Structures are given as C-alpha cells and as structure tokens.
Amino acid sequence: WVRNQRTRRKKGELSDGYINRLDELGFIWNPYEKNWIESFNKLNQFKDREGHCRVPKGHMEDGINLSNWVGDQRKENSRGKLSQDRFNQLDRLGLSWVVHDEIWEESYIKLKAFRDIKGHCILPTNFMDGEINLSNWSSSQRNNKNKNKLSALRIKRLDELDFIWDIKDHNWQEAFNKLKQFKDREGHCDVVQAHREDEFLLGTWVSHQRQAQVSMSEHHKRSLNDIGFIWIAPKGPRYS
C-alpha cells in the first residue's frame, strides 16, 4: 500500500487531500533520499569526530557501512549519476573524490605524527603505521619527485616536515659528521678499521670511501679533502 501511494503521487493520481494527510504522518515519499541523508549525516558525524572524511575500509558508523557508502558516492560521481546538489554537499564537507588523494593525505598525516614524536622523517625499513607501509610510501614520494610526477604543493608540504629527498646523501652526510667529530677530538682522520663513533662503524665507512674514490661525487671528495681525509690507509699496526 505504501509503495502504491508513492507510485500514484508520482503519476499525479493522488489527491492533495491524501498527500496532506500522509505528510502529517511524516510519510517518506522517497526512501532513497532519506537513506542518503541519513548516511550523509553519519559522514558529517565522522568528520566532526575525526577531523577528516577519510573513512577506513569496512568502517561502520552507528550500524551504517560508511566506507561502502562513500565508495558508492565516488562511483556515482565518476559515472555522472551523482546530482549536483549531492556533489556540492559532499564536496563542501571535504570528501576526496580520488581514493589515491585520500591515501596520500592519510599517509602524510601519519608521517607528520612520526616526525612530531621522533623529530625527523627517517623511517626504519618496512615501517608500518596501521595498514600503511610508511617506508614504502616515503620511497614512492622520492621516486615520483625524481620523475617529475609529484606536484609542487605536495613537495612543499613534505619540505615543511624536513622530508629527506636523498636518503643516500643524507646517510653520507651523517657519517661525514661522525668523521668530523672524530677529527675535532683526535686532530686527524686516521680512523682504524674497527673504530666505532657513537656506535657507528666509522672505520668501515672510511674504508668504503677510499674504495669509492673513483666513482665518488666531486662534492663528497671536496668535503673529505677539506678535513684532511687520508685516502691511502697507513701501513703498520694502529690501535683504536
């Protein structure tokens, strides 16, 4: 009977008197619209609590599968079937229409949280934060930048976190600083093979620099020469 009333009104066959009487009961003429509004309100509730619209996969909000609903809205929009009014409401709320953008934002927030705690963005290998491999994500940002596939805005935002774009150069500079520390204390750069500087294998690193002299960048060579680096290891017994 309820379905028939909706159908008759749609066809113009229901009198104004019947329509008014049903309206007085709070009759739902379009159940799909009611469900959409209810789900939209749940997304609004989620955003008020979490500060964003990045709904985790499988997330339920008060009995509603909000993750699936958000996915359906993206599909409807990509097919051109989402009304302009609904698009505007979701857009104003801050829903990201491209899933990749949403993943990027979530990963960025997690990296920022790591940096706020640790004071840097140097991640251990295969560092996971929830379901996101933050180490792999960071590597992807470096690769995308090298291929000119990372937007200027994203580069700027990562720079604000003091993101390290060249890990190898960063690690080299860290080791070089250990050598400078050794030189400032000892007065020379004659580091024996087994020597550790603050638990760092400085003697091994020095040996590797000698082996890599031919292929080493001019910048690194100059830096080493400026502090009196010994390119040929002295012969004879030496002690740490």
XYZ file of all heavy atoms in Angstrom, residues 144-237:
793
model
N 58.667 9.626 -7.241
C 57.771 10.485 -8.012
C 58.376 11.864 -8.232
O 58.225 12.464 -9.303
C 56.418 10.612 -7.299
C 55.595 9.347 -7.398
O 55.819 8.520 -8.281
N 54.644 9.174 -6.498
N 59.074 12.370 -7.240
C 59.734 13.680 -7.389
C 60.835 13.594 -8.439
O 60.975 14.490 -9.292
C 60.314 14.154 -6.060
C 60.960 15.543 -6.125
C 61.383 15.995 -4.740
C 61.930 17.406 -4.781
N 63.300 17.475 -5.325
N 61.614 12.527 -8.408
C 62.696 12.353 -9.377
C 62.163 12.244 -10.803
O 62.838 12.617 -11.766
C 63.521 11.103 -9.040
C 64.335 11.284 -7.769
O 64.636 12.411 -7.367
N 64.689 10.186 -7.133
N 60.931 11.712 -10.933
C 60.314 11.549 -12.260
C 59.409 12.729 -12.629
O 58.681 12.669 -13.615
C 59.489 10.259 -12.282
C 60.316 8.991 -12.108
C 59.411 7.758 -12.021
C 60.219 6.488 -11.805
N 59.354 5.289 -11.646
N 59.479 13.799 -11.801
C 58.626 14.979 -12.015
C 57.138 14.633 -11.993
O 56.332 15.224 -12.712
C 58.975 15.673 -13.334
C 60.376 16.248 -13.329
O 60.803 16.844 -12.339
N 61.093 16.071 -14.419
N 56.776 13.675 -11.139
C 55.381 13.264 -11.028
C 54.757 13.671 -9.693
O 53.639 13.255 -9.377
C 55.267 11.742 -11.194
C 55.582 11.245 -12.598
C 55.386 9.744 -12.696
C 55.635 9.248 -14.109
N 55.442 7.770 -14.210
N 55.480 14.472 -8.919
C 54.970 14.930 -7.633
C 54.679 16.415 -7.733
O 55.542 17.200 -8.140
C 55.991 14.649 -6.521
C 55.490 14.736 -5.084
C 54.429 13.662 -4.820
C 56.644 14.574 -4.094
N 53.467 16.803 -7.356
C 53.061 18.208 -7.512
C 53.893 19.134 -6.625
O 54.418 18.718 -5.583
C 51.579 18.367 -7.165
O 51.368 18.197 -5.773
N 53.982 20.386 -7.032
C 54.733 21.389 -6.271
C 54.141 21.548 -4.870
O 54.877 21.765 -3.893
C 54.722 22.718 -7.015
N 52.813 21.435 -4.773
C 52.162 21.579 -3.471
C 52.578 20.450 -2.530
O 52.874 20.687 -1.351
C 50.646 21.587 -3.640
C 49.824 21.639 -2.342
C 50.157 22.898 -1.547
C 48.331 21.565 -2.637
N 52.602 19.217 -3.047
C 52.986 18.094 -2.196
C 54.462 18.180 -1.805
O 54.835 17.847 -0.670
C 52.666 16.773 -2.895
C 51.181 16.490 -2.953
C 50.839 15.144 -3.557
N 49.407 14.887 -3.435
C 48.793 13.810 -3.891
N 49.507 12.860 -4.504
N 47.493 13.649 -3.734
N 55.302 18.623 -2.725
C 56.722 18.810 -2.403
C 56.861 19.833 -1.278
O 57.610 19.635 -0.318
C 57.498 19.271 -3.651
C 57.576 18.139 -4.679
C 58.904 19.732 -3.269
C 58.150 18.548 -6.014
N 56.122 20.917 -1.393
C 56.163 21.980 -0.374
C 55.715 21.452 0.985
O 56.349 21.735 2.014
C 55.272 23.144 -0.801
C 55.217 24.313 0.185
C 54.377 25.442 -0.366
C 54.313 26.615 0.603
N 53.585 26.275 1.855
N 54.643 20.666 0.991
C 54.140 20.141 2.259
C 55.131 19.173 2.904
O 55.305 19.162 4.123
C 52.788 19.461 2.034
C 51.675 20.440 1.669
C 50.370 19.736 1.438
N 49.864 19.137 2.670
C 48.837 18.303 2.732
N 48.220 17.939 1.604
N 48.418 17.804 3.881
N 55.791 18.358 2.085
C 56.806 17.446 2.622
C 58.039 18.210 3.091
O 58.643 17.857 4.106
C 57.174 16.405 1.563
C 56.100 15.333 1.319
C 56.379 14.564 0.037
C 56.003 14.371 2.496
N 58.399 19.257 2.363
C 59.521 20.098 2.791
C 59.260 20.705 4.168
O 60.192 20.895 4.967
C 59.769 21.223 1.775
C 60.546 20.754 0.555
O 61.222 19.704 0.652
O 60.482 21.430 -0.484
N 58.004 21.015 4.441
C 57.646 21.591 5.739
C 57.902 20.613 6.886
O 58.016 21.019 8.041
C 56.171 22.012 5.722
C 55.912 23.242 4.843
C 54.431 23.507 4.632
O 53.608 22.683 5.092
O 54.106 24.527 3.997
N 57.990 19.316 6.552
C 58.302 18.291 7.554
C 59.801 17.981 7.583
O 60.223 17.069 8.298
C 57.541 16.995 7.250
C 56.008 17.049 7.228
C 55.444 15.655 6.975
C 55.463 17.612 8.526
N 60.590 18.760 6.809
C 62.039 18.471 6.650
C 62.244 17.069 6.091
O 63.130 16.317 6.521
C 62.776 18.615 7.991
C 62.702 20.030 8.534
O 62.795 20.966 7.722
O 62.520 20.198 9.755
N 61.398 16.728 5.121
C 61.482 15.420 4.477
C 62.824 15.262 3.774
O 63.316 16.191 3.131
C 60.342 15.293 3.459
C 60.202 13.935 2.842
C 59.625 12.894 3.543
C 60.648 13.706 1.552
C 59.481 11.636 2.967
C 60.505 12.454 0.969
C 59.925 11.421 1.680
N 63.426 14.085 3.913
C 64.723 13.802 3.286
C 64.481 13.231 1.898
O 63.968 12.125 1.750
C 65.548 12.806 4.136
C 65.729 13.330 5.561
C 66.897 12.562 3.468
C 66.430 14.657 5.662
N 64.866 13.988 0.872
C 64.627 13.552 -0.505
C 65.692 12.577 -0.995
O 65.407 11.713 -1.815
C 64.556 14.764 -1.433
C 63.374 15.638 -1.149
C 63.379 16.855 -0.535
C 62.000 15.344 -1.438
N 62.096 17.341 -0.419
C 61.231 16.438 -0.975
C 61.348 14.275 -2.038
C 59.843 16.492 -1.098
C 59.964 14.318 -2.164
C 59.229 15.415 -1.701
N 66.904 12.727 -0.506
C 68.003 11.851 -0.932
C 68.568 11.134 0.288
O 69.407 11.676 1.006
C 69.092 12.677 -1.627
C 70.152 11.807 -2.293
O 70.353 10.666 -1.825
O 70.779 12.266 -3.264
N 68.094 9.930 0.522
C 68.493 9.177 1.712
C 69.986 8.843 1.697
O 70.668 8.938 2.718
C 67.671 7.880 1.838
C 66.255 8.206 2.325
C 68.303 6.905 2.800
C 66.179 8.688 3.757
N 70.493 8.458 0.523
C 71.911 8.097 0.444
C 72.797 9.265 0.809
O 73.769 9.132 1.561
C 72.242 7.589 -0.970
C 71.694 6.207 -1.280
C 72.145 5.731 -2.648
C 71.624 4.329 -2.936
N 72.039 3.847 -4.279
N 72.474 10.431 0.277
C 73.270 11.620 0.586
C 73.128 11.999 2.054
O 74.096 12.417 2.705
C 72.845 12.790 -0.300
C 73.770 13.980 -0.137
O 74.948 13.871 -0.547
O 73.332 15.015 0.419
N 71.911 11.849 2.576
C 71.695 12.148 3.994
C 72.545 11.225 4.873
O 73.196 11.689 5.828
C 70.219 11.973 4.332
C 69.936 12.042 5.807
N 69.837 13.229 6.496
C 69.745 11.057 6.734
C 69.599 12.989 7.765
N 69.535 11.680 7.936
N 72.539 9.927 4.567
C 73.321 8.975 5.353
C 74.819 9.268 5.236
O 75.563 9.135 6.216
C 73.027 7.544 4.891
C 71.622 7.104 5.254
O 70.975 7.692 6.122
N 71.124 6.064 4.598
N 75.230 9.662 4.022
C 76.639 10.007 3.832
C 77.000 11.207 4.703
O 78.045 11.220 5.357
C 76.912 10.327 2.358
C 78.381 10.439 2.043
C 79.189 9.443 1.574
C 79.206 11.598 2.195
N 80.478 9.913 1.430
C 80.518 11.243 1.803
C 78.972 12.896 2.616
C 81.596 12.130 1.819
C 80.031 13.806 2.652
C 81.331 13.418 2.250
N 76.145 12.205 4.713
C 76.417 13.408 5.495
C 76.460 13.095 6.991
O 77.292 13.655 7.730
C 75.347 14.474 5.214
C 75.685 15.856 5.749
C 76.949 16.432 5.136
O 77.123 16.408 3.927
N 77.838 16.937 5.983
N 75.581 12.199 7.434
C 75.582 11.792 8.840
C 76.914 11.137 9.203
O 77.492 11.414 10.261
C 74.430 10.829 9.110
C 73.053 11.467 9.074
C 72.754 12.287 10.304
O 72.697 11.705 11.399
O 72.594 13.523 10.176
N 77.390 10.252 8.317
C 78.662 9.570 8.562
C 79.826 10.570 8.512
O 80.759 10.505 9.325
C 78.864 8.466 7.529
N 79.761 11.499 7.554
C 80.798 12.527 7.443
C 80.875 13.355 8.729
O 81.970 13.712 9.198
C 80.508 13.422 6.235
C 81.478 14.553 6.081
C 82.756 14.335 5.601
C 81.106 15.855 6.420
C 83.667 15.381 5.460
C 81.995 16.904 6.283
C 83.282 16.669 5.804
N 79.726 13.658 9.302
C 79.707 14.427 10.554
C 80.376 13.650 11.684
O 81.014 14.242 12.569
C 78.269 14.786 10.932
C 77.682 15.829 10.000
O 78.412 16.581 9.336
N 76.354 15.886 9.931
N 80.227 12.312 11.656
C 80.914 11.485 12.649
C 82.429 11.566 12.461
O 83.202 11.593 13.437
C 80.459 10.026 12.543
C 79.004 9.782 12.852
C 78.667 10.097 14.285
C 77.218 9.772 14.591
N 76.818 10.232 15.945
N 82.860 11.598 11.195
C 84.296 11.724 10.924
C 84.812 13.083 11.380
O 85.907 13.192 11.952
C 84.563 11.525 9.429
C 86.030 11.620 8.994
C 86.893 10.579 9.715
C 86.149 11.450 7.475
N 84.043 14.123 11.151
C 84.434 15.460 11.615
C 84.530 15.492 13.139
O 85.443 16.098 13.706
C 83.416 16.499 11.147
C 83.557 16.893 9.687
C 82.518 17.923 9.294
C 82.751 19.227 10.031
N 81.750 20.256 9.639
N 83.586 14.838 13.781
C 83.608 14.759 15.247
C 84.883 14.074 15.727
O 85.538 14.524 16.680
C 82.377 13.978 15.716
C 82.294 13.716 17.204
C 81.026 12.953 17.571
O 79.924 13.471 17.453
N 81.178 11.699 18.010
N 85.256 12.972 15.033
C 86.495 12.252 15.353
C 87.702 13.160 15.147
O 88.606 13.236 16.001
C 86.592 11.013 14.458
C 87.856 10.218 14.640
C 87.908 9.165 15.541
C 89.004 10.507 13.901
C 89.083 8.421 15.704
C 90.167 9.783 14.062
C 90.213 8.728 14.967
N 87.716 13.863 14.019
C 88.851 14.742 13.700
C 88.983 15.877 14.724
O 90.089 16.223 15.160
C 88.632 15.324 12.298
C 89.489 16.551 11.965
C 90.838 16.189 11.423
C 91.681 17.427 11.132
N 91.218 18.182 9.981
N 87.857 16.456 15.105
C 87.897 17.553 16.087
C 88.460 17.081 17.426
O 89.145 17.845 18.131
C 86.487 18.119 16.302
C 85.971 18.867 15.083
O 86.791 19.243 14.219
O 84.734 19.072 14.999
N 88.201 15.839 17.755
C 88.665 15.304 19.040
C 90.102 14.801 18.962
O 90.913 15.057 19.868
C 87.734 14.175 19.485
C 88.068 13.605 20.854
C 87.155 12.458 21.247
N 87.349 11.289 20.399
C 86.434 10.846 19.546
N 85.269 11.465 19.410
N 86.680 9.778 18.810
N 90.428 14.079 17.873
C 91.723 13.407 17.777
C 92.781 14.221 17.027
O 93.970 13.935 17.137
C 91.558 12.048 17.088
C 90.544 11.119 17.757
C 90.971 10.680 19.151
O 92.196 10.708 19.428
O 90.096 10.335 19.957
N 92.329 15.185 16.217
C 93.273 16.015 15.476
C 93.695 15.433 14.147
O 94.558 15.987 13.468
N 93.095 14.315 13.724
C 93.439 13.685 12.444
C 92.275 12.819 11.975
O 91.294 12.644 12.691
C 94.712 12.830 12.592
C 94.564 11.728 13.604
N 93.887 10.553 13.343
C 94.998 11.634 14.902
C 93.920 9.784 14.404
N 94.578 10.408 15.375
N 92.397 12.271 10.749
C 91.354 11.409 10.174
C 91.821 9.972 10.008
O 91.252 9.219 9.207
C 90.904 11.960 8.813
S 90.029 13.520 8.898
N 92.852 9.591 10.747
C 93.384 8.232 10.640
C 92.555 7.304 11.517
O 92.923 6.981 12.646
C 94.863 8.230 11.064
C 95.510 6.865 10.863
O 94.886 6.004 10.200
O 96.631 6.668 11.368
N 91.429 6.860 10.971
C 90.499 6.020 11.728
C 90.806 4.552 11.462
O 90.834 4.115 10.311
C 89.041 6.314 11.306
C 88.069 5.519 12.176
C 88.749 7.803 11.392
N 91.027 3.786 12.524
C 91.312 2.362 12.337
C 90.029 1.634 11.954
O 88.914 2.083 12.235
C 91.923 1.738 13.613
C 93.257 2.394 13.935
C 90.972 1.851 14.787
N 90.182 0.487 11.310
C 89.060 -0.254 10.739
C 87.970 -0.567 11.766
O 86.780 -0.477 11.470
C 89.577 -1.566 10.129
C 88.507 -2.439 9.501
C 88.054 -1.949 8.138
O 88.840 -1.349 7.417
N 86.792 -2.192 7.802
N 88.366 -0.923 12.973
C 87.390 -1.394 13.964
C 86.750 -0.264 14.766
O 85.868 -0.520 15.589
C 88.053 -2.382 14.916
N 87.150 0.972 14.512
C 86.672 2.059 15.375
C 85.183 2.354 15.171
O 84.684 2.435 14.055
C 87.477 3.334 15.123
C 86.993 4.491 15.946
N 87.213 4.568 17.301
C 86.255 5.601 15.616
C 86.671 5.673 17.773
N 86.078 6.325 16.775
N 84.490 2.531 16.297
C 83.095 2.968 16.294
C 83.017 4.373 16.878
O 83.674 4.663 17.877
C 82.213 2.034 17.142
C 82.031 0.645 16.568
C 81.299 -0.236 17.574
N 81.067 -1.570 17.041
C 79.929 -1.969 16.482
N 78.907 -1.124 16.391
N 79.791 -3.194 16.026
N 82.208 5.194 16.265
C 81.975 6.550 16.762
C 80.498 6.659 17.111
O 79.643 6.664 16.226
C 82.356 7.586 15.696
C 82.371 9.020 16.162
C 83.607 9.383 16.993
O 84.569 8.585 17.052
O 83.604 10.488 17.575
N 80.216 6.706 18.423
C 78.820 6.694 18.883
C 78.074 5.488 18.305
O 76.965 5.609 17.792
C 78.099 7.983 18.482
C 78.739 9.217 19.091
O 79.316 9.102 20.183
O 78.647 10.295 18.475
N 78.729 4.314 18.370
C 78.175 3.054 17.872
C 78.129 2.965 16.340
O 77.745 1.933 15.794
C 76.769 2.793 18.437
C 76.749 2.615 19.958
C 77.712 1.535 20.433
O 77.695 0.445 19.851
O 78.482 1.804 21.368
N 78.522 4.027 15.658
C 78.562 3.979 14.191
C 79.903 3.406 13.750
O 80.966 3.800 14.258
C 78.374 5.385 13.605
C 78.516 5.441 12.116
C 77.562 4.865 11.287
C 79.632 6.050 11.530
C 77.691 4.905 9.909
C 79.767 6.090 10.159
C 78.802 5.520 9.345
N 79.888 2.481 12.769
C 81.124 1.839 12.294
C 81.897 2.799 11.401
O 81.932 2.665 10.180
C 80.766 0.553 11.539
C 80.205 -0.586 12.402
C 79.647 -1.698 11.523
C 81.291 -1.125 13.331
N 82.552 3.762 12.034
C 83.237 4.805 11.282
C 84.433 4.258 10.509
O 84.684 4.659 9.370
C 83.690 5.925 12.227
C 84.305 7.153 11.561
C 83.316 7.805 10.601
C 84.771 8.159 12.618
N 85.172 3.321 11.110
C 86.331 2.756 10.423
C 85.934 2.056 9.127
O 86.609 2.197 8.097
N 84.842 1.325 9.166
C 84.342 0.645 7.966
C 83.913 1.660 6.918
O 84.181 1.495 5.724
C 83.158 -0.259 8.333
O 83.595 -1.231 9.298
C 82.622 -0.980 7.113
N 83.246 2.712 7.349
C 82.782 3.747 6.415
C 83.965 4.432 5.739
O 83.951 4.650 4.518
C 81.928 4.781 7.152
C 81.379 5.840 6.255
C 80.270 5.753 5.462
C 81.910 7.149 6.043
N 80.071 6.918 4.774
C 81.067 7.802 5.105
C 83.016 7.843 6.546
C 81.297 9.116 4.677
C 83.241 9.149 6.125
C 82.391 9.770 5.196
N 85.013 4.731 6.514
C 86.216 5.367 5.957
C 86.835 4.468 4.895
O 87.247 4.931 3.819
C 87.224 5.680 7.081
C 88.613 5.984 6.500
C 86.732 6.856 7.927
N 86.901 3.180 5.179
C 87.451 2.223 4.212
C 86.633 2.220 2.922
O 87.188 2.192 1.816
C 87.470 0.828 4.841
O 87.925 -0.134 3.924
N 85.308 2.297 3.055
C 84.448 2.318 1.875
C 84.649 3.574 1.045
O 84.571 3.540 -0.196
C 82.978 2.212 2.295
C 82.601 0.855 2.814
N 81.447 0.626 3.547
C 83.221 -0.353 2.716
C 81.382 -0.654 3.868
N 82.452 -1.268 3.380
N 84.938 4.691 1.698
C 85.164 5.936 0.948
C 86.440 5.836 0.111
O 86.489 6.324 -1.027
C 85.258 7.145 1.902
C 84.064 7.339 2.807
C 82.732 7.144 2.117
O 82.388 7.903 1.207
N 81.987 6.129 2.536
N 87.435 5.200 0.674
C 88.682 5.014 -0.086
C 88.416 4.156 -1.327
O 88.904 4.454 -2.416
C 89.743 4.353 0.802
C 90.260 5.256 1.918
C 91.275 4.550 2.794
N 91.777 5.446 3.828
C 91.860 5.126 5.121
N 91.484 3.913 5.530
N 92.318 6.003 5.999
N 87.635 3.108 -1.143
C 87.333 2.212 -2.264
C 86.472 2.893 -3.325
O 86.542 2.564 -4.508
C 86.626 0.956 -1.748
C 87.493 0.081 -0.834
C 86.688 -1.011 -0.142
O 85.600 -1.364 -0.579
N 87.218 -1.541 0.953
N 85.684 3.853 -2.888
C 84.756 4.521 -3.813
C 85.293 5.830 -4.366
O 84.556 6.587 -5.003
C 83.425 4.783 -3.102
N 86.565 6.090 -4.188
C 87.127 7.384 -4.570
C 86.901 7.720 -6.049
O 86.555 8.843 -6.401
C 88.628 7.421 -4.262
C 89.274 8.773 -4.586
C 90.753 8.794 -4.252
O 91.326 7.763 -3.868
N 91.396 9.949 -4.408
N 87.085 6.748 -6.905
C 86.973 6.991 -8.348
C 85.548 7.390 -8.739
O 85.343 8.308 -9.542
C 87.401 5.746 -9.147
C 87.171 5.956 -10.639
C 88.878 5.430 -8.879
N 84.563 6.722 -8.149
C 83.164 6.984 -8.522
C 82.485 8.030 -7.635
O 81.329 8.407 -7.880
C 82.357 5.680 -8.456
O 82.413 5.130 -7.146
N 83.188 8.520 -6.655
C 82.608 9.465 -5.712
C 82.356 10.828 -6.349
O 83.103 11.273 -7.222
C 83.544 9.622 -4.504
C 82.986 10.481 -3.375
S 84.174 10.643 -2.025
C 84.269 8.951 -1.433
N 81.289 11.493 -5.918
C 80.981 12.832 -6.441
C 82.057 13.825 -6.027
O 82.709 13.669 -4.982
C 79.620 13.305 -5.918
O 79.691 13.610 -4.541
N 82.234 14.845 -6.842
C 83.237 15.870 -6.541
C 82.906 16.583 -5.233
O 83.795 16.980 -4.481
C 83.315 16.880 -7.691
C 83.940 16.321 -8.952
C 85.369 15.824 -8.705
O 86.135 16.512 -7.994
O 85.697 14.735 -9.204
N 81.640 16.756 -4.971
C 81.213 17.417 -3.733
C 81.677 16.633 -2.513
O 82.215 17.209 -1.555
C 79.691 17.560 -3.723
C 79.138 17.998 -2.403
N 79.365 19.257 -1.887
C 78.381 17.334 -1.471
C 78.774 19.363 -0.705
N 78.172 18.209 -0.441
N 81.499 15.320 -2.545
C 81.924 14.489 -1.423
C 83.451 14.469 -1.303
O 83.988 14.500 -0.186
C 81.381 13.070 -1.581
C 79.924 12.959 -1.278
N 79.201 11.802 -1.501
C 79.026 13.860 -0.779
C 77.938 11.999 -1.142
N 77.806 13.237 -0.720
N 84.136 14.419 -2.427
C 85.607 14.440 -2.392
C 86.111 15.730 -1.756
O 87.025 15.712 -0.911
C 86.167 14.321 -3.808
C 86.134 12.928 -4.393
C 86.737 12.925 -5.785
C 86.588 11.566 -6.454
N 87.111 11.569 -7.836
N 85.535 16.852 -2.165
C 85.964 18.141 -1.612
C 85.720 18.188 -0.109
O 86.566 18.679 0.658
C 85.221 19.285 -2.287
C 85.791 19.702 -3.636
C 85.274 21.073 -4.053
N 83.816 21.134 -4.079
C 83.090 20.783 -5.136
N 83.691 20.354 -6.246
N 81.779 20.884 -5.091
N 84.575 17.683 0.303
C 84.248 17.698 1.735
C 85.274 16.903 2.535
O 85.722 17.335 3.609
C 82.851 17.121 1.965
O 81.862 17.926 1.365
N 85.656 15.738 2.006
C 86.644 14.909 2.691
C 88.031 15.549 2.663
O 88.751 15.557 3.677
C 86.680 13.516 2.057
C 85.442 12.643 2.328
C 85.427 11.420 1.431
C 85.393 12.223 3.797
N 88.409 16.091 1.515
C 89.722 16.738 1.410
C 89.839 17.934 2.350
O 90.911 18.204 2.914
C 89.986 17.187 -0.027
C 90.343 16.020 -0.935
O 90.909 15.026 -0.480
N 90.016 16.137 -2.220
N 88.720 18.652 2.519
C 88.735 19.854 3.359
C 89.056 19.555 4.824
O 89.515 20.445 5.554
C 87.385 20.585 3.282
C 87.187 21.300 1.946
O 88.183 21.482 1.216
O 86.027 21.668 1.646
N 88.805 18.308 5.263
C 89.109 17.983 6.664
C 90.348 17.094 6.776
O 90.638 16.563 7.848
C 87.908 17.311 7.361
C 87.573 15.970 6.719
C 86.698 18.225 7.369
C 86.553 15.155 7.536
N 91.068 16.948 5.665
C 92.317 16.191 5.708
C 92.137 14.687 5.663
O 92.853 13.935 6.339
N 91.190 14.230 4.862
C 90.942 12.791 4.748
C 92.174 12.076 4.207
O 92.859 12.573 3.306
C 89.748 12.550 3.830
C 89.303 11.112 3.769
C 88.546 10.564 4.786
C 89.643 10.312 2.692
C 88.121 9.238 4.736
C 89.227 8.992 2.629
C 88.466 8.446 3.653
N 92.450 10.894 4.757
C 93.609 10.101 4.336
C 93.116 9.056 3.332
O 92.444 8.083 3.702
C 94.290 9.427 5.540
C 94.756 10.501 6.534
C 95.453 8.555 5.089
C 95.257 9.939 7.853
N 93.464 9.262 2.050
C 92.948 8.382 1.001
C 93.672 7.032 0.952
O 93.080 6.031 0.571
C 93.060 9.066 -0.359
C 92.122 10.240 -0.480
C 92.423 11.563 -0.389
C 90.708 10.168 -0.678
N 91.304 12.329 -0.504
C 90.226 11.503 -0.698
C 89.802 9.132 -0.831
C 88.887 11.807 -0.859
C 88.461 9.431 -1.019
C 87.993 10.752 -1.034
N 94.946 7.015 1.348
C 95.682 5.757 1.385
C 95.908 5.382 2.838
O 96.514 6.146 3.596
C 97.041 5.897 0.655
C 96.794 6.286 -0.813
C 97.819 4.584 0.758
C 98.080 6.546 -1.575
N 95.382 4.222 3.220
C 95.462 3.813 4.619
C 96.909 3.607 5.032
O 97.684 2.937 4.310
C 94.695 2.526 4.821
N 97.347 4.186 6.164
C 98.716 3.982 6.649
C 98.988 2.501 6.929
O 98.083 1.775 7.324
C 98.741 4.799 7.949
C 97.624 5.788 7.814
C 96.576 5.080 7.022
N 100.206 2.105 6.693
C 100.574 0.723 6.948
C 101.122 0.585 8.363
O 101.510 1.550 9.003
C 101.628 0.261 5.943
C 101.106 0.239 4.508
C 102.173 -0.226 3.539
C 101.656 -0.245 2.104
N 102.682 -0.698 1.147
N 101.144 -0.665 8.824
C 101.676 -0.923 10.151
C 100.565 -0.991 11.195
O 99.426 -0.598 10.935
N 100.883 -1.474 12.373
C 99.873 -1.642 13.426
C 99.388 -0.286 13.963
O 100.184 0.624 14.170
C 100.610 -2.435 14.519
C 102.052 -2.104 14.299
C 102.226 -1.943 12.819
